[in-house]
Amino acid sequence: MDSHRLVAKLWKSLIALVMAFFLINVGLMIAAVATSSVAQRWLGTWLPAGYTFNWYLAAWKEFQLGGVLLVTVQVVAAVVFLSILIGVPAAYALARRDFPGKRLLMGLFLLPLMVPPITYGIPLATVMYQAHIAGTIFGVILSNMIPAVPFMILVMTPFIEQIDVNLESAARVFGASTFKLFWHVLLPLLAPGILAASLLVLVRTIGMFELTFLTAGPDSQTLVVALYYAVFAAGVRAPQSVDAMAIIYMTITLVWLLIALQFVNPTQLVSRVKEHPQTA
Amino acid sequence: MIADRGASVGLGSSFDRSLLLLVPATLFMVVLFVYPFIYGLQLSFRPMEGNWLANYTKFFTTDNLWSTIGTTLKLAVPATVINIGVALPIAYQMRLKSRYQKWVTTLLVIPLTLGTVLIAQGMLGYFGPRGWLSQTLQFLHLYEGPIRLTHNYWGVLISLVISGFPFAFLLTLSYITGIDPTLPRAAATLGASPWNQFRYIYLPLLVPGLAMAFALSFVQAFSVFPSAVLLGSPAGATRVISIAAYEAAFEQYDYSMASAVAMIMGFVQLLVVAAILGARGMFYRGPVTGGKG
């Protein structure tokens, strides 16, 4: 019995150790970028020679961050809104109805999440260039919706399945029209789920590199793509201003993710179980 | 909607109007996903020169093209195995609800927000030959000379773990906490050790979820692109298949070839996912959450 407990203790310590190792290294890595973004000069010493916030100003001007952020906000807002509009009704039908071809349709919605974005992004970009929508914000929004709509459907379907059908029947019995049923019964019940799913879509869209990269033009780049070009494109840039921009990017995503975590219990992302009284 | 449910399910004769709710999403997917995909497929058979199979022949006979499949798999498979392999025990430990759970989960999820460029810059700085890690190792006399963890295979693999692990962890945690805790509790009452609870209750119930988490993590790792450029050696050790596709499309403007590479990429990807999901069929399939409602 005692040896069992010892093994369990060792195992727990091992896991804590692995987590600590991961977190410390990632933390120091972030710290390195943050330090560099405020460093005057930093060449192979423990800490930089002096500190300045000028790189943030430089990054803002040099990379036209104002415009880039505006595009990012527009793209993300449109993607989230449109995916709710298209995805939630579909999720409702999938959760409540059985019909021939349902598995096939589920497959269609699952497929974009199962193949790399580049795989469909390249043919998509080709089609969009022919239709002259590549390079526009509209094209970027459409391409980003391809993974967003299925994601919305897959997150919302189990959520809707959980809602008791009897509530809808009861509303019907009392004479609610379809619109009233939707507005007064379904929407309030679905609101937390929609909020959770759209926050996740939001975080995913801010970070979606490939699709935006393939379909964006110079005026329709989102933050991730602008950041990539800042590192990669020709011309010598001070690494510190790239670091400053990377920190700005991280802060924006982090804020949204932390907001999302307030509403989404990450443990209930894909499957739900009734809350049981807590046991040690 | 509910009123006509009986008719639509029972007889299938009357048309169920709520199915119209599926129309916008289906239409969207057909126009923006299926159509470009089919277009790309047929475009790949219309090469700039040569017969209809020329692109595929070229891919499989050109050294720096077909080897990208192996290069990508050599990065994606270990990255996925590490991510799921480490996420499983940690998520298992974190399955019980506590204040601790919330904090650790949040901390572990933060790397999701970093972005490829921050990871790349951070790794170049921190893991680089003159970074803090190198300096610390030399200061402690654990390792002499500069460490080489960037601009090679290891750089890309590490970045795939940093960005992929939080995702794998979130998914795994979510599947584990979806298992009804009364089952292991019942087993514990009957005297099952913690290991046996895991081995005979959690693991079999987890297999479908783990397969899904593995597949989704693999997709992410397989499509590695920016970090292979920024942290690897894009001409050599980390010339992944998406680099080949990108070069064909946007450097040689050969959309036909690019589509062919994309199709091969999708095919390899789906082959692996099908293998994973097929393998899970050998395990238990059924409800994991117990009686609902």
Side-chain angles (χ1 to χ4, degrees):
Chain A
M1 205 57 202
D2 266 341
S3 71
H4 268 304
R5 212 168 289 164
L6 187 69
V7 169
K9 222 169 205 171
L10 280 175
W11 177 245
K12 264 188 184 167
S13 323
L14 180 69
I15 286 182
L17 217 66
V18 171
M19 278 198 288
F21 179 76
F22 179 78
L23 288 174
I24 288 173
N25 277 294
V26 170
L28 284 172
M29 204 184 80
I30 301 172
V33 178
T35 312
S36 163
S37 76
V38 292
Q40 266 173 358
R41 215 159 47 85
W42 192 14
L43 292 166
T45 46
W46 287 101
L47 286 171
Y51 299 92
T52 168
F53 272 101
N54 284 345
W55 300 114
Y56 283 85
L57 209 67
W60 188 270
K61 281 194 199 138
E62 207 178 326
F63 305 118
Q64 289 145 3
L65 268 193
V68 170
L69 284 177
L70 185 68
V71 171
T72 310
V73 169
Q74 287 169 336
V75 167
V76 171
V79 168
V80 169
F81 177 73
L82 292 172
S83 338
I84 295 174
L85 211 64
I86 298 182
V88 173
Y92 178 82
L94 284 174
R96 287 286 193 251
R97 293 290 185 272
D98 238 339
F99 52 90
K102 182 171 170 179
R103 284 178 68 94
L104 193 76
L105 207 58
M106 283 299 262
L108 174 68
F109 291 136
L110 195 61
L111 208 55
L113 301 175
M114 281 295 177
V115 293
I118 290 225
T119 314
Y120 56 89
I122 284 184
L124 178 78
T126 315
V127 172
M128 281 188 167
Y129 273 109
Q130 284 178 347
H132 301 291
I133 42 174
T136 65
I137 285 202
F138 183 59
V140 173
I141 292 171
L142 282 182
S143 57
N144 273 292
M145 278 171 65
I146 297 175
V149 169
F151 186 79
M152 183 65 83
I153 294 176
L154 290 175
V155 175
M156 286 308 290
T157 307
F159 195 90
I160 296 172
E161 274 169 353
Q162 274 204 134
I163 292 175
D164 199 339
V165 188
N166 292 329
L167 285 173
E168 292 170 38
S169 313
R172 282 285 182 201
V173 170
F174 288 112
S177 67
T178 304
F179 177 77
K180 274 190 172 164
L181 170 78
F182 178 76
W183 195 251
H184 292 292
V185 179
L186 278 177
L187 204 60
L189 286 171
L190 287 180
I194 294 177
L195 188 68
S198 35
L199 281 166
L200 292 172
V201 168
L202 183 141
V203 172
R204 277 174 57 109
T205 310
I206 297 179
M208 172 50 77
F209 173 77
E210 283 93 344
L211 291 171
T212 316
F213 182 61
L214 293 175
T215 53
D219 306 324
S220 49
Q221 286 171 16
T222 58
L223 194 50
V224 231
V225 176
L227 196 45
Y228 176 81
Y229 279 123
V231 187
F232 190 67
V236 185
R237 307 243 196 241
Q240 287 99 321
S241 72
V242 173
D243 289 337
M245 195 165 158
I247 292 289
I248 295 176
Y249 172 85
M250 180 194 138
T251 315
I252 292 174
T253 334
L254 185 64
V255 166
W256 282 105
L257 189 75
L258 291 181
I259 294 176
L261 287 177
Q262 296 305 308
F263 294 98
V264 203
N265 183 351
T267 62
Q268 298 197 331
L269 208 59
V270 287
S271 48
R272 285 155 180 280
V273 68
K274 269 195 292 181
E275 298 275 323
H276 286 269
Q278 185 186 335
T279 49
Chain B
M1 275 186 261
I2 294 309
D4 54 28
R5 182 173 197 173
S8 64
V9 172
L11 300 169
S13 55
S14 71
F15 180 70
D16 184 351
R17 275 194 307 167
S18 60
L19 291 185
L20 288 177
L21 294 173
L22 284 164
V23 171
T26 313
L27 215 61
F28 177 82
M29 294 313 296
V30 168
V31 171
L32 278 137
F33 181 74
V34 179
Y35 170 71
F37 209 92
I38 292 172
Y39 176 84
L41 187 64
Q42 62 93 20
L43 186 66
S44 72
F45 292 115
R46 284 191 295 150
M48 299 224 281
E49 51 195 54
N51 67 358
W52 61 284
L53 273 177
N55 282 331
Y56 293 90
T57 324
K58 186 178 165 198
F59 185 90
F60 286 105
T61 51
T62 309
D63 266 353
N64 80 345
L65 285 178
W66 74 268
S67 64
T68 56
I69 298 181
T71 307
T72 316
L73 287 176
K74 249 190 272 170
L75 277 168
V77 173
T80 314
V81 170
I82 293 172
N83 286 342
I84 299 287
V86 178
L88 178 62
I90 294 183
Y92 186 68
Q93 202 75 67
M94 290 284 116
R95 72 189 185 282
L96 300 172
K97 231 177 149 52
S98 62
R99 248 182 327 171
Y100 185 61
Q101 180 198 42
K102 193 165 181 176
W103 276 102
V104 174
T105 318
T106 308
L107 276 178
L108 286 176
V109 165
I110 286 179
L112 278 180
T113 64
L114 298 184
T116 329
V117 169
L118 193 141
I119 293 180
Q121 292 289 98
M123 283 187 59
L124 294 177
Y126 173 66
F127 291 104
R130 301 174 78 181
W132 280 341
L133 186 68
S134 191
Q135 286 184 45
T136 310
L137 291 181
Q138 283 168 24
F139 180 74
L140 299 172
H141 295 289
L142 289 172
Y143 187 89
E144 303 302 326
I147 48 166
R148 298 247 169 258
L149 286 175
T150 50
H151 291 305
N152 57 19
Y153 173 85
W154 296 106
V156 182
L157 187 70
I158 294 174
S159 83
L160 282 178
V161 171
I162 294 176
S163 59
F165 170 74
F167 179 72
F169 170 73
L170 260 188
L171 273 178
T172 317
L173 181 68
S174 166
Y175 283 114
I176 288 182
T177 49
I179 291 172
D180 192 339
T182 49
L183 296 173
R185 226 180 284 150
T189 322
L190 298 174
S193 68
W195 166 247
N196 280 339
Q197 289 171 39
F198 177 75
R199 171 72 188 78
Y200 293 105
I201 295 180
Y202 276 103
L203 196 58
L205 291 174
L206 259 182
V207 167
L210 274 185
M212 197 66 182
F214 196 94
L216 289 173
S217 297
F218 181 77
V219 177
Q220 284 205 331
F222 192 78
S223 60
V224 51
F225 176 66
S227 55
V229 176
L230 300 175
L231 278 169
S233 49
T238 66
R239 191 183 148 81
V240 292
I241 192 164
S242 46
I243 293 182
Y246 176 78
E247 280 179 0
F250 296 95
E251 282 174 20
Q252 291 143 22
Y253 298 103
D254 185 346
Y255 292 107
S256 173
M257 185 67 201
S259 300
V261 181
M263 293 303 138
I264 293 166
M265 188 176 171
F267 181 74
V268 174
Q269 164 74 50
L270 285 179
L271 216 61
V272 174
V273 170
I276 297 165
L277 298 184
R280 112 194 135 160
M282 294 187 287
F283 294 88
Y284 167 86
R285 299 180 80 160
V288 292
T289 52
K292 262 189 190 176

